[in-house]
Amino acid sequence: MAIWGTDSRALASARRQADRELLNQVAAGMPVGVRLDDEAAVRRVGDLATAMATVARESVELLGGPLAWEIRECDEERCTRLYLDGSRHRSRRWCDMRECGNRAKAAAFRARHRT
């Protein structure tokens, strides 16, 4: 299931429709349950299908909610992560500065200092 992509418009539109239908179908499943155990700790109960339904439901809420316009794709070439850009000017480039951002900045530094 692809939520983000850069295909041609016709192909992307058909793919988006199929992905949306699949996402809605999975989101309609039973979500993970919660219970309070003997130590007053929250325990989550369920199987893979309930976990997938919970993730799909959260994805629907995010993609159709007020934060959808903040979803960005990491600029790091090898990274496939999406993130919410809550920065002041909406100019964040990497999913995580400690990982992808650091790699990109270190590579740029090495490129500038090569002789």
Side-chain angles (χ1 to χ4, degrees), residues 41-112:
V42 174
R43 299 288 178 213
R44 287 171 174 70
V45 293
D47 57 10
L48 179 59
T50 60
M52 293 297 291
T54 300
V55 170
R57 187 174 280 109
E58 292 294 323
S59 297
V60 167
E61 295 273 349
L62 178 61
L63 293 170
L67 297 178
W69 66 278
E70 291 186 11
I71 299 172
R72 303 282 186 276
E73 186 174 13
C74 184
D75 273 1
E76 169 61 34
E77 190 174 295
R78 297 170 299 205
C79 185
T80 60
R81 285 187 258 176
L82 302 177
Y83 62 92
L84 293 177
D85 183 0
S87 66
R88 178 179 228 166
H89 299 290
R90 306 295 185 252
S91 58
R92 189 170 146 191
R93 295 179 54 199
W94 301 287
C95 61
D96 188 342
M97 191 57 210
R98 291 172 304 209
E99 293 179 34
C100 293
N102 186 50
R103 273 195 295 264
K105 289 188 173 213
F109 177 84
R110 286 190 303 271
R112 283 192 309 270

Side-chain angles (χ1 to χ4, degrees), residues 2-3 5 7-9 11-21:
I3 294 174
D7 297 332
S8 70
R9 288 188 190 270
L11 180 57
S13 177
R15 182 171 292 156
R16 279 192 293 258
Q17 178 65 27
D19 290 340
R20 192 170 37 253
E21 289 171 5

